[in-house]
Amino acid sequence: MSSQFTPNNPLPQEAKVPQEIAVFSPEVEAEMDRHLAKYPVKRSAILPLMFIVQRERGGYLDPPGVAYLADRLGVRITDIWEVATFYSMINTEPVGKYHLQVCKTLSCKIMGAGRVTAKCTERLGIKPGQTTEDGMFSLSEVECLGSCGTAPMMQIGFDYYENLTDEKVDEIINKCQGGELSNGVR
Amino acid sequence: MFIGAIGCEPLQLRRVLLDNSASLEVYRANGGYEALQKVLNGMSPDDVIGEVKKSALRGRGGAGFPTGMKWGFVPKDSPKPKYVVCNADESEPGTFKDRYLMERDPHMLIEGMLIAAYALGARTNYVYTRGEYRYLIEIMDVALAEARAAGLLGEKILGTDFNCEIYTHTGAGAYICGEETALLNSLEGLRGHPRMKPPFPAVAGLYGCPTVVNNVETLTAVPDIIKMGGEAYQKLGTEKSGGTKVWSVSGHVNRPGVYELPMGYDDMEKFILEDCQGILGGKQLKAVIPGGSSVYIMPAADIVGKDVRMDYEGLVAAGSSVGSGGFIVMDETVDIFESTKNLTEFYKHESCGWCTPCREGTDWLVKVFKRIESGEGRPDDAQLLLDIVDNIEGKSFCPLGDAASWPIQSAIKKFPEDFRRKVLNGNGHVKDGLPTA
């Protein structure tokens, strides 16, 4: 009964992939192996592996990275795109080195999320959804990140910055520009 | 930000303020893994399920389904492997309790999962954490490694024949994956679309095998239920809402935070004005969304002087529900039209696109909200919103459609002025600031 809802059977034929396939270091391969070892079905590791591939491929899933994932997981290229386009944290286009993601949902909104976004726009000259010309910064407005009690907040890469004020945003952007702050990608 | 218990001894938050509270050493020094020891020292799986049933513990993720009953649905004679999956996809706007439970006390979750796995016969288990909470996955991985090294995870746990593994898994930014069947699809490496029910996960869940999906706070309640007994746990709360509940308080209060309250805490007005130290800047309370964005909004008039009991029955009687316990407080400056638009944009963004009523409906709702906001609103636009909602609620594939509907229904019902003013302003029917329509 359930198999029709869980199409995770292996492909009847080998997945065809384009010529160029991304290559990763043995350390990265080992990191992926550790994720694959958790599951009885390889495809389950698709999200953890996507995070690794996008980290290693400059912040997004490029076609060689997608081809690698299809090959590694034994699925079709389209299976990878199908999943990649569903999840907001998987980038299918390049993003800036520092990806500033300002939470815009209710608790943050009523506590001043608009000011945070405006401050970022003022400092960087980009609106939400844009990347600076030098590729250093991308700005996004995102939905609730579970930081409502410490609103307003933003996430840079995986790192949380909470209880934000104009001064704090200034300080954070200064540190990013000076290269003193991690971009939170790992 | 405050973190602690009010009106009861801290149970779930017992260790969160201790130094190094995430470590195995501190956990064990403060009663940790005693419940697991007790279970392995002679309780049968049925005994464990029996205690959880007696505890009147209800799912803390939002739906409030009785946990013991959910566990009871797992077929005992199934030859397939069974799974316990912890739902740590905490994404309901206004909710952040699971984050602090995992950050400060990850072993409590591990112990709860081990006991659940023992009761249900599961040997491989997953913690599905939302992708944005990467630092929690890292904390969980450290705690799991500690537990493994101490013989609390893996083969022959505590020297018994009980073998069990727990792995962390990451989501990647999708609210819908908090819905248990969407979560399972996501865990199988698919798009996070919900599945048809039945079959329920208890019968055919992860990889088609019997699976129980429980929220973090639900599972972290289990060790205490075992230690004190189901009955004693239930008595901390009310007859049908056992135990304590962890609330996430945000918005316009002087002391936002994570509050553990006994179920049936009396009452909501006192909670806001005294425990949360009142409204920010001495302003007036306008509204509260008590259980995460998906529940009915409550105007101050339904709270002040109304003796609202904070438990499942009390909040339903007061016109809302406990939901996930994401308690959003709004002061008099908040325009409920604006706040409802904000939440509707959230649901539009998070609608997974699987079914038409939700995908198209939430898109239309946002279009109408934007039309009103831009000054092009029509006099019957509030009714139009209700008509669209009527075509979503109860007609979508999963509860996300209902969740998108309820804030709008209750906002228009309880705050008609905020909507009327917007529409009239838009149409230029305003003279001297007063509606003339």
Side-chain angles (χ1 to χ4, degrees), chain A residues 8 38-39 43-44 82 87-89 104 106-107 109 144 146 155 186, chain B residues 99 126 130 132 138 168-169 172-173 186-187 189-191 207 250 342:
Chain A
N8 52 30
K38 298 176 180 177
Y39 313 99
R43 186 171 174 150
S44 280
E82 180 191 32
Y87 295 93
S88 65
M89 294 181 75
K104 66 177 273 278
L106 190 54
S107 297
K109 181 189 160 72
C144 187
Q155 188 171 28
R186 51 188 188 270
Chain B
R99 178 182 161 195
Y126 297 97
R130 67 179 297 184
E132 292 89 343
E138 290 158 0
T168 53
H169 181 84
S186 180
L187 186 45
L190 306 169
R191 286 167 81 91
Y207 310 122
S250 67
N342 180 278

PDB file of all heavy atoms in Angstrom, chain A residues 8 38-39 43-44 82 87-89 104 106-107 109 144 146 155 186, chain B residues 99 126 130 132 138 168-169 172-173 186-187 189-191 207 250 342:
ATOM      1  N   ASN A   8      10.850   5.361  -3.445  1.00  0.00           N
ATOM      2  CA  ASN A   8      12.276   5.398  -3.169  1.00  0.00           C
ATOM      3  C   ASN A   8      12.992   4.144  -3.660  1.00  0.00           C
ATOM      4  O   ASN A   8      14.089   3.843  -3.234  1.00  0.00           O
ATOM      5  CB  ASN A   8      12.512   5.615  -1.672  1.00  0.00           C
ATOM      6  CG  ASN A   8      11.738   4.629  -0.846  1.00  0.00           C
ATOM      7  OD1 ASN A   8      11.485   3.517  -1.289  1.00  0.00           O
ATOM      8  ND2 ASN A   8      11.341   5.028   0.345  1.00  0.00           N
ATOM      9  N   LYS A  38      23.907   6.715   7.742  1.00  0.00           N
ATOM     10  CA  LYS A  38      22.793   6.790   8.683  1.00  0.00           C
ATOM     11  C   LYS A  38      21.520   6.126   8.181  1.00  0.00           C
ATOM     12  O   LYS A  38      20.617   5.849   8.961  1.00  0.00           O
ATOM     13  CB  LYS A  38      22.440   8.264   8.960  1.00  0.00           C
ATOM     14  CG  LYS A  38      23.527   9.102   9.592  1.00  0.00           C
ATOM     15  CD  LYS A  38      23.017  10.544   9.682  1.00  0.00           C
ATOM     16  CE  LYS A  38      24.034  11.490  10.307  1.00  0.00           C
ATOM     17  NZ  LYS A  38      23.530  12.881  10.310  1.00  0.00           N
ATOM     18  N   TYR A  39      21.416   5.950   6.855  1.00  0.00           N
ATOM     19  CA  TYR A  39      20.117   5.591   6.289  1.00  0.00           C
ATOM     20  C   TYR A  39      20.152   4.259   5.547  1.00  0.00           C
ATOM     21  O   TYR A  39      21.139   3.937   4.905  1.00  0.00           O
ATOM     22  CB  TYR A  39      19.660   6.674   5.304  1.00  0.00           C
ATOM     23  CG  TYR A  39      19.803   8.085   5.839  1.00  0.00           C
ATOM     24  CD1 TYR A  39      20.893   8.882   5.484  1.00  0.00           C
ATOM     25  CD2 TYR A  39      18.855   8.613   6.699  1.00  0.00           C
ATOM     26  CE1 TYR A  39      21.029  10.170   5.970  1.00  0.00           C
ATOM     27  CE2 TYR A  39      18.981   9.906   7.195  1.00  0.00           C
ATOM     28  CZ  TYR A  39      20.073  10.678   6.830  1.00  0.00           C
ATOM     29  OH  TYR A  39      20.212  11.953   7.306  1.00  0.00           O
ATOM     30  N   ARG A  43      18.930   7.720  -0.902  1.00  0.00           N
ATOM     31  CA  ARG A  43      18.287   8.979  -1.256  1.00  0.00           C
ATOM     32  C   ARG A  43      17.981   9.840  -0.018  1.00  0.00           C
ATOM     33  O   ARG A  43      17.875  11.062  -0.117  1.00  0.00           O
ATOM     34  CB  ARG A  43      17.005   8.691  -2.048  1.00  0.00           C
ATOM     35  CG  ARG A  43      16.387   9.954  -2.545  1.00  0.00           C
ATOM     36  CD  ARG A  43      15.237   9.733  -3.512  1.00  0.00           C
ATOM     37  NE  ARG A  43      14.667  11.047  -3.789  1.00  0.00           N
ATOM     38  CZ  ARG A  43      14.081  11.389  -4.921  1.00  0.00           C
ATOM     39  NH1 ARG A  43      13.969  10.504  -5.877  1.00  0.00           N
ATOM     40  NH2 ARG A  43      13.587  12.605  -5.077  1.00  0.00           N
ATOM     41  N   SER A  44      17.816   9.197   1.133  1.00  0.00           N
ATOM     42  CA  SER A  44      17.526   9.960   2.349  1.00  0.00           C
ATOM     43  C   SER A  44      18.606  10.990   2.658  1.00  0.00           C
ATOM     44  O   SER A  44      18.344  11.967   3.339  1.00  0.00           O
ATOM     45  CB  SER A  44      17.385   9.011   3.548  1.00  0.00           C
ATOM     46  OG  SER A  44      16.107   8.420   3.560  1.00  0.00           O
ATOM     47  N   GLU A  82      14.300  18.441  -8.572  1.00  0.00           N
ATOM     48  CA  GLU A  82      12.966  18.419  -7.965  1.00  0.00           C
ATOM     49  C   GLU A  82      13.058  18.756  -6.474  1.00  0.00           C
ATOM     50  O   GLU A  82      12.296  19.573  -5.956  1.00  0.00           O
ATOM     51  CB  GLU A  82      12.365  17.013  -8.157  1.00  0.00           C
ATOM     52  CG  GLU A  82      10.991  16.843  -7.576  1.00  0.00           C
ATOM     53  CD  GLU A  82      10.550  15.386  -7.549  1.00  0.00           C
ATOM     54  OE1 GLU A  82      11.416  14.493  -7.390  1.00  0.00           O
ATOM     55  OE2 GLU A  82       9.350  15.148  -7.681  1.00  0.00           O
ATOM     56  N   TYR A  87      13.224  23.340  -1.419  1.00  0.00           N
ATOM     57  CA  TYR A  87      13.692  23.789  -0.107  1.00  0.00           C
ATOM     58  C   TYR A  87      14.380  25.146  -0.203  1.00  0.00           C
ATOM     59  O   TYR A  87      15.305  25.319  -1.011  1.00  0.00           O
ATOM     60  CB  TYR A  87      14.643  22.745   0.482  1.00  0.00           C
ATOM     61  CG  TYR A  87      13.954  21.434   0.767  1.00  0.00           C
ATOM     62  CD1 TYR A  87      13.943  20.402  -0.165  1.00  0.00           C
ATOM     63  CD2 TYR A  87      13.272  21.240   1.967  1.00  0.00           C
ATOM     64  CE1 TYR A  87      13.287  19.211   0.090  1.00  0.00           C
ATOM     65  CE2 TYR A  87      12.617  20.043   2.228  1.00  0.00           C
ATOM     66  CZ  TYR A  87      12.622  19.038   1.296  1.00  0.00           C
ATOM     67  OH  TYR A  87      11.972  17.862   1.550  1.00  0.00           O
ATOM     68  N   SER A  88      13.956  26.077   0.662  1.00  0.00           N
ATOM     69  CA  SER A  88      14.446  27.449   0.513  1.00  0.00           C
ATOM     70  C   SER A  88      15.915  27.597   0.861  1.00  0.00           C
ATOM     71  O   SER A  88      16.555  28.558   0.451  1.00  0.00           O
ATOM     72  CB  SER A  88      13.600  28.399   1.369  1.00  0.00           C
ATOM     73  OG  SER A  88      13.768  28.097   2.739  1.00  0.00           O
ATOM     74  N   MET A  89      16.495  26.655   1.613  1.00  0.00           N
ATOM     75  CA  MET A  89      17.899  26.801   1.984  1.00  0.00           C
ATOM     76  C   MET A  89      18.856  26.234   0.941  1.00  0.00           C
ATOM     77  O   MET A  89      20.070  26.351   1.071  1.00  0.00           O
ATOM     78  CB  MET A  89      18.182  26.132   3.334  1.00  0.00           C
ATOM     79  CG  MET A  89      17.464  26.816   4.480  1.00  0.00           C
ATOM     80  SD  MET A  89      17.838  26.030   6.034  1.00  0.00           S
ATOM     81  CE  MET A  89      19.489  26.630   6.333  1.00  0.00           C
ATOM     82  N   LYS A 104      11.254  38.089   8.708  1.00  0.00           N
ATOM     83  CA  LYS A 104      10.211  39.094   8.490  1.00  0.00           C
ATOM     84  C   LYS A 104       8.868  38.694   9.098  1.00  0.00           C
ATOM     85  O   LYS A 104       7.873  39.378   8.948  1.00  0.00           O
ATOM     86  CB  LYS A 104      10.031  39.337   6.996  1.00  0.00           C
ATOM     87  CG  LYS A 104       9.471  38.115   6.242  1.00  0.00           C
ATOM     88  CD  LYS A 104       9.224  38.416   4.775  1.00  0.00           C
ATOM     89  CE  LYS A 104       7.862  39.014   4.516  1.00  0.00           C
ATOM     90  NZ  LYS A 104       6.792  38.003   4.436  1.00  0.00           N
ATOM     91  N   LEU A 106       5.813  37.586  11.882  1.00  0.00           N
ATOM     92  CA  LEU A 106       5.115  38.469  12.808  1.00  0.00           C
ATOM     93  C   LEU A 106       5.896  38.978  14.022  1.00  0.00           C
ATOM     94  O   LEU A 106       5.982  40.187  14.224  1.00  0.00           O
ATOM     95  CB  LEU A 106       3.800  37.813  13.243  1.00  0.00           C
ATOM     96  CG  LEU A 106       2.858  38.720  14.020  1.00  0.00           C
ATOM     97  CD1 LEU A 106       2.560  39.993  13.269  1.00  0.00           C
ATOM     98  CD2 LEU A 106       1.565  37.983  14.327  1.00  0.00           C
ATOM     99  N   SER A 107       6.450  38.089  14.842  1.00  0.00           N
ATOM    100  CA  SER A 107       7.099  38.570  16.063  1.00  0.00           C
ATOM    101  C   SER A 107       8.260  39.501  15.736  1.00  0.00           C
ATOM    102  O   SER A 107       8.463  40.524  16.377  1.00  0.00           O
ATOM    103  CB  SER A 107       7.598  37.399  16.915  1.00  0.00           C
ATOM    104  OG  SER A 107       6.507  36.615  17.340  1.00  0.00           O
ATOM    105  N   LYS A 109       8.532  41.159  12.906  1.00  0.00           N
ATOM    106  CA  LYS A 109       7.972  42.341  12.235  1.00  0.00           C
ATOM    107  C   LYS A 109       7.541  43.389  13.254  1.00  0.00           C
ATOM    108  O   LYS A 109       7.889  44.559  13.123  1.00  0.00           O
ATOM    109  CB  LYS A 109       6.791  41.933  11.365  1.00  0.00           C
ATOM    110  CG  LYS A 109       6.168  43.114  10.614  1.00  0.00           C
ATOM    111  CD  LYS A 109       4.867  42.720   9.947  1.00  0.00           C
ATOM    112  CE  LYS A 109       4.009  43.928   9.634  1.00  0.00           C
ATOM    113  NZ  LYS A 109       4.490  44.756   8.535  1.00  0.00           N
ATOM    114  N   CYS A 144       9.864  32.901   9.543  1.00  0.00           N
ATOM    115  CA  CYS A 144      10.216  32.652  10.952  1.00  0.00           C
ATOM    116  C   CYS A 144      11.368  31.672  11.175  1.00  0.00           C
ATOM    117  O   CYS A 144      11.344  30.538  10.718  1.00  0.00           O
ATOM    118  CB  CYS A 144       8.991  32.139  11.705  1.00  0.00           C
ATOM    119  SG  CYS A 144       9.274  31.997  13.489  1.00  0.00           S
ATOM    120  N   GLY A 146      12.505  30.977  14.348  1.00  0.00           N
ATOM    121  CA  GLY A 146      12.479  30.476  15.726  1.00  0.00           C
ATOM    122  C   GLY A 146      13.329  31.313  16.656  1.00  0.00           C
ATOM    123  O   GLY A 146      13.980  30.790  17.563  1.00  0.00           O
ATOM    124  N   GLN A 155      19.929  35.846  10.152  1.00  0.00           N
ATOM    125  CA  GLN A 155      20.850  34.715  10.096  1.00  0.00           C
ATOM    126  C   GLN A 155      21.843  34.986   8.979  1.00  0.00           C
ATOM    127  O   GLN A 155      21.463  35.397   7.887  1.00  0.00           O
ATOM    128  CB  GLN A 155      20.063  33.430   9.815  1.00  0.00           C
ATOM    129  CG  GLN A 155      20.903  32.173   9.917  1.00  0.00           C
ATOM    130  CD  GLN A 155      20.067  30.893   9.847  1.00  0.00           C
ATOM    131  OE1 GLN A 155      19.012  30.857   9.251  1.00  0.00           O
ATOM    132  NE2 GLN A 155      20.559  29.830  10.451  1.00  0.00           N
ATOM    133  N   ARG A 186      28.919  26.211   6.819  1.00  0.00           N
ATOM    134  CA  ARG A 186      29.702  25.056   7.225  1.00  0.00           C
ATOM    135  C   ARG A 186      28.962  23.775   6.899  1.00  0.00           C
ATOM    136  O   ARG A 186      27.860  23.822   6.413  1.00  0.00           O
ATOM    137  CB  ARG A 186      30.029  25.111   8.725  1.00  0.00           C
ATOM    138  CG  ARG A 186      28.870  25.342   9.639  1.00  0.00           C
ATOM    139  CD  ARG A 186      29.400  25.564  11.053  1.00  0.00           C
ATOM    140  NE  ARG A 186      28.320  25.616  12.020  1.00  0.00           N
ATOM    141  CZ  ARG A 186      27.674  26.718  12.385  1.00  0.00           C
ATOM    142  NH1 ARG A 186      27.998  27.869  11.858  1.00  0.00           N
ATOM    143  NH2 ARG A 186      26.685  26.664  13.261  1.00  0.00           N
TER     144      ARG A 186
ATOM    145  N   ARG B  99      13.919  24.758  20.491  1.00  0.00           N
ATOM    146  CA  ARG B  99      15.288  25.220  20.293  1.00  0.00           C
ATOM    147  C   ARG B  99      16.040  25.252  21.615  1.00  0.00           C
ATOM    148  O   ARG B  99      17.172  24.760  21.715  1.00  0.00           O
ATOM    149  CB  ARG B  99      15.204  26.615  19.659  1.00  0.00           C
ATOM    150  CG  ARG B  99      16.520  27.241  19.430  1.00  0.00           C
ATOM    151  CD  ARG B  99      16.349  28.636  18.845  1.00  0.00           C
ATOM    152  NE  ARG B  99      17.575  29.373  19.038  1.00  0.00           N
ATOM    153  CZ  ARG B  99      17.694  30.679  18.907  1.00  0.00           C
ATOM    154  NH1 ARG B  99      16.635  31.399  18.553  1.00  0.00           N
ATOM    155  NH2 ARG B  99      18.842  31.260  19.103  1.00  0.00           N
ATOM    156  N   TYR B 126      15.466   8.831  14.190  1.00  0.00           N
ATOM    157  CA  TYR B 126      16.005  10.057  13.623  1.00  0.00           C
ATOM    158  C   TYR B 126      15.467  11.289  14.348  1.00  0.00           C
ATOM    159  O   TYR B 126      14.321  11.303  14.785  1.00  0.00           O
ATOM    160  CB  TYR B 126      15.650  10.157  12.136  1.00  0.00           C
ATOM    161  CG  TYR B 126      16.261   9.049  11.329  1.00  0.00           C
ATOM    162  CD1 TYR B 126      15.530   7.902  11.009  1.00  0.00           C
ATOM    163  CD2 TYR B 126      17.578   9.126  10.910  1.00  0.00           C
ATOM    164  CE1 TYR B 126      16.094   6.862  10.282  1.00  0.00           C
ATOM    165  CE2 TYR B 126      18.159   8.089  10.182  1.00  0.00           C
ATOM    166  CZ  TYR B 126      17.419   6.967   9.871  1.00  0.00           C
ATOM    167  OH  TYR B 126      17.983   5.945   9.165  1.00  0.00           O
ATOM    168  N   ARG B 130      15.063  21.323  11.767  1.00  0.00           N
ATOM    169  CA  ARG B 130      14.999  22.266  10.648  1.00  0.00           C
ATOM    170  C   ARG B 130      16.405  22.730  10.286  1.00  0.00           C
ATOM    171  O   ARG B 130      17.270  22.895  11.158  1.00  0.00           O
ATOM    172  CB  ARG B 130      14.087  23.452  10.969  1.00  0.00           C
ATOM    173  CG  ARG B 130      14.579  24.357  12.059  1.00  0.00           C
ATOM    174  CD  ARG B 130      13.629  25.528  12.309  1.00  0.00           C
ATOM    175  NE  ARG B 130      13.518  26.385  11.125  1.00  0.00           N
ATOM    176  CZ  ARG B 130      12.825  27.521  11.086  1.00  0.00           C
ATOM    177  NH1 ARG B 130      12.180  27.932  12.171  1.00  0.00           N
ATOM    178  NH2 ARG B 130      12.764  28.238   9.992  1.00  0.00           N
ATOM    179  N   GLU B 132      17.738  25.471   9.457  1.00  0.00           N
ATOM    180  CA  GLU B 132      18.259  26.723  10.018  1.00  0.00           C
ATOM    181  C   GLU B 132      18.863  26.504  11.400  1.00  0.00           C
ATOM    182  O   GLU B 132      19.709  27.274  11.844  1.00  0.00           O
ATOM    183  CB  GLU B 132      17.137  27.760  10.118  1.00  0.00           C
ATOM    184  CG  GLU B 132      16.615  28.248   8.769  1.00  0.00           C
ATOM    185  CD  GLU B 132      15.482  27.390   8.231  1.00  0.00           C
ATOM    186  OE1 GLU B 132      15.296  26.254   8.718  1.00  0.00           O
ATOM    187  OE2 GLU B 132      14.777  27.845   7.315  1.00  0.00           O
ATOM    188  N   GLU B 138      24.510  20.272  15.590  1.00  0.00           N
ATOM    189  CA  GLU B 138      25.879  20.073  16.076  1.00  0.00           C
ATOM    190  C   GLU B 138      25.877  19.718  17.570  1.00  0.00           C
ATOM    191  O   GLU B 138      26.617  18.829  18.008  1.00  0.00           O
ATOM    192  CB  GLU B 138      26.699  21.344  15.807  1.00  0.00           C
ATOM    193  CG  GLU B 138      26.966  21.548  14.309  1.00  0.00           C
ATOM    194  CD  GLU B 138      27.297  22.980  13.892  1.00  0.00           C
ATOM    195  OE1 GLU B 138      27.327  23.876  14.764  1.00  0.00           O
ATOM    196  OE2 GLU B 138      27.515  23.206  12.699  1.00  0.00           O
ATOM    197  N   THR B 168      20.967  12.238  13.685  1.00  0.00           N
ATOM    198  CA  THR B 168      20.414  13.547  13.358  1.00  0.00           C
ATOM    199  C   THR B 168      20.179  13.632  11.848  1.00  0.00           C
ATOM    200  O   THR B 168      20.895  13.018  11.056  1.00  0.00           O
ATOM    201  CB  THR B 168      21.376  14.678  13.754  1.00  0.00           C
ATOM    202  OG1 THR B 168      22.657  14.417  13.173  1.00  0.00           O
ATOM    203  CG2 THR B 168      21.516  14.777  15.251  1.00  0.00           C
ATOM    204  N   HIS B 169      19.172  14.404  11.491  1.00  0.00           N
ATOM    205  CA  HIS B 169      18.887  14.645  10.076  1.00  0.00           C
ATOM    206  C   HIS B 169      18.533  16.115   9.917  1.00  0.00           C
ATOM    207  O   HIS B 169      17.907  16.697  10.798  1.00  0.00           O
ATOM    208  CB  HIS B 169      17.721  13.773   9.603  1.00  0.00           C
ATOM    209  CG  HIS B 169      17.390  13.949   8.147  1.00  0.00           C
ATOM    210  ND1 HIS B 169      18.052  13.274   7.159  1.00  0.00           N
ATOM    211  CD2 HIS B 169      16.493  14.744   7.521  1.00  0.00           C
ATOM    212  CE1 HIS B 169      17.563  13.643   5.974  1.00  0.00           C
ATOM    213  NE2 HIS B 169      16.618  14.543   6.174  1.00  0.00           N
ATOM    214  N   ALA B 172      15.732  21.627   5.264  1.00  0.00           N
ATOM    215  CA  ALA B 172      16.424  22.651   4.482  1.00  0.00           C
ATOM    216  C   ALA B 172      15.517  23.842   4.194  1.00  0.00           C
ATOM    217  O   ALA B 172      15.589  24.430   3.118  1.00  0.00           O
ATOM    218  CB  ALA B 172      16.965  22.042   3.189  1.00  0.00           C
ATOM    219  N   GLY B 173      14.677  24.161   5.160  1.00  0.00           N
ATOM    220  CA  GLY B 173      13.867  25.355   4.994  1.00  0.00           C
ATOM    221  C   GLY B 173      12.527  25.075   4.347  1.00  0.00           C
ATOM    222  O   GLY B 173      12.342  25.364   3.168  1.00  0.00           O
ATOM    223  N   SER B 186      10.263  14.067   3.382  1.00  0.00           N
ATOM    224  CA  SER B 186      11.519  14.807   3.345  1.00  0.00           C
ATOM    225  C   SER B 186      12.674  13.934   3.827  1.00  0.00           C
ATOM    226  O   SER B 186      13.761  13.943   3.259  1.00  0.00           O
ATOM    227  CB  SER B 186      11.389  16.058   4.210  1.00  0.00           C
ATOM    228  OG  SER B 186      12.573  16.798   4.193  1.00  0.00           O
ATOM    229  N   LEU B 187      12.404  13.151   4.864  1.00  0.00           N
ATOM    230  CA  LEU B 187      13.428  12.254   5.415  1.00  0.00           C
ATOM    231  C   LEU B 187      13.779  11.145   4.423  1.00  0.00           C
ATOM    232  O   LEU B 187      14.869  10.581   4.459  1.00  0.00           O
ATOM    233  CB  LEU B 187      12.918  11.684   6.750  1.00  0.00           C
ATOM    234  CG  LEU B 187      13.808  10.833   7.624  1.00  0.00           C
ATOM    235  CD1 LEU B 187      15.201  11.403   7.781  1.00  0.00           C
ATOM    236  CD2 LEU B 187      13.169  10.675   8.997  1.00  0.00           C
ATOM    237  N   GLY B 189      14.099  11.787   1.364  1.00  0.00           N
ATOM    238  CA  GLY B 189      14.825  12.441   0.281  1.00  0.00           C
ATOM    239  C   GLY B 189      13.935  12.982  -0.814  1.00  0.00           C
ATOM    240  O   GLY B 189      14.390  13.196  -1.941  1.00  0.00           O
ATOM    241  N   LEU B 190      12.674  13.204  -0.490  1.00  0.00           N
ATOM    242  CA  LEU B 190      11.727  13.710  -1.490  1.00  0.00           C
ATOM    243  C   LEU B 190      11.346  15.145  -1.173  1.00  0.00           C
ATOM    244  O   LEU B 190      11.739  15.691  -0.147  1.00  0.00           O
ATOM    245  CB  LEU B 190      10.457  12.838  -1.482  1.00  0.00           C
ATOM    246  CG  LEU B 190      10.687  11.351  -1.665  1.00  0.00           C
ATOM    247  CD1 LEU B 190       9.412  10.586  -1.379  1.00  0.00           C
ATOM    248  CD2 LEU B 190      11.178  11.059  -3.068  1.00  0.00           C
ATOM    249  N   ARG B 191      10.564  15.747  -2.062  1.00  0.00           N
ATOM    250  CA  ARG B 191       9.961  17.037  -1.737  1.00  0.00           C
ATOM    251  C   ARG B 191       9.049  16.838  -0.529  1.00  0.00           C
ATOM    252  O   ARG B 191       8.453  15.781  -0.358  1.00  0.00           O
ATOM    253  CB  ARG B 191       9.120  17.546  -2.916  1.00  0.00           C
ATOM    254  CG  ARG B 191       9.946  18.056  -4.079  1.00  0.00           C
ATOM    255  CD  ARG B 191       9.094  18.229  -5.309  1.00  0.00           C
ATOM    256  NE  ARG B 191       8.340  19.489  -5.321  1.00  0.00           N
ATOM    257  CZ  ARG B 191       8.772  20.625  -5.852  1.00  0.00           C
ATOM    258  NH1 ARG B 191       9.970  20.664  -6.406  1.00  0.00           N
ATOM    259  NH2 ARG B 191       8.025  21.711  -5.843  1.00  0.00           N
ATOM    260  N   TYR B 207       9.844   4.825   5.172  1.00  0.00           N
ATOM    261  CA  TYR B 207      10.127   3.668   4.303  1.00  0.00           C
ATOM    262  C   TYR B 207       8.988   2.642   4.331  1.00  0.00           C
ATOM    263  O   TYR B 207       9.211   1.430   4.215  1.00  0.00           O
ATOM    264  CB  TYR B 207      11.443   2.988   4.703  1.00  0.00           C
ATOM    265  CG  TYR B 207      12.613   3.947   4.857  1.00  0.00           C
ATOM    266  CD1 TYR B 207      13.307   4.040   6.059  1.00  0.00           C
ATOM    267  CD2 TYR B 207      13.000   4.761   3.800  1.00  0.00           C
ATOM    268  CE1 TYR B 207      14.364   4.926   6.207  1.00  0.00           C
ATOM    269  CE2 TYR B 207      14.059   5.654   3.947  1.00  0.00           C
ATOM    270  CZ  TYR B 207      14.739   5.726   5.135  1.00  0.00           C
ATOM    271  OH  TYR B 207      15.791   6.604   5.285  1.00  0.00           O
ATOM    272  N   SER B 250       6.674  35.910  22.910  1.00  0.00           N
ATOM    273  CA  SER B 250       7.360  36.920  22.106  1.00  0.00           C
ATOM    274  C   SER B 250       6.442  38.111  21.876  1.00  0.00           C
ATOM    275  O   SER B 250       5.271  38.086  22.235  1.00  0.00           O
ATOM    276  CB  SER B 250       7.797  36.327  20.766  1.00  0.00           C
ATOM    277  OG  SER B 250       6.667  36.007  19.989  1.00  0.00           O
ATOM    278  N   ASN B 342       0.737  39.795   7.225  1.00  0.00           N
ATOM    279  CA  ASN B 342       2.073  39.219   7.431  1.00  0.00           C
ATOM    280  C   ASN B 342       1.991  37.693   7.520  1.00  0.00           C
ATOM    281  O   ASN B 342       2.774  36.969   6.890  1.00  0.00           O
ATOM    282  CB  ASN B 342       2.676  39.819   8.708  1.00  0.00           C
ATOM    283  CG  ASN B 342       4.053  39.281   9.011  1.00  0.00           C
ATOM    284  OD1 ASN B 342       4.188  38.207   9.573  1.00  0.00           O
ATOM    285  ND2 ASN B 342       5.087  40.013   8.617  1.00  0.00           N
TER     286      ASN B 342
END
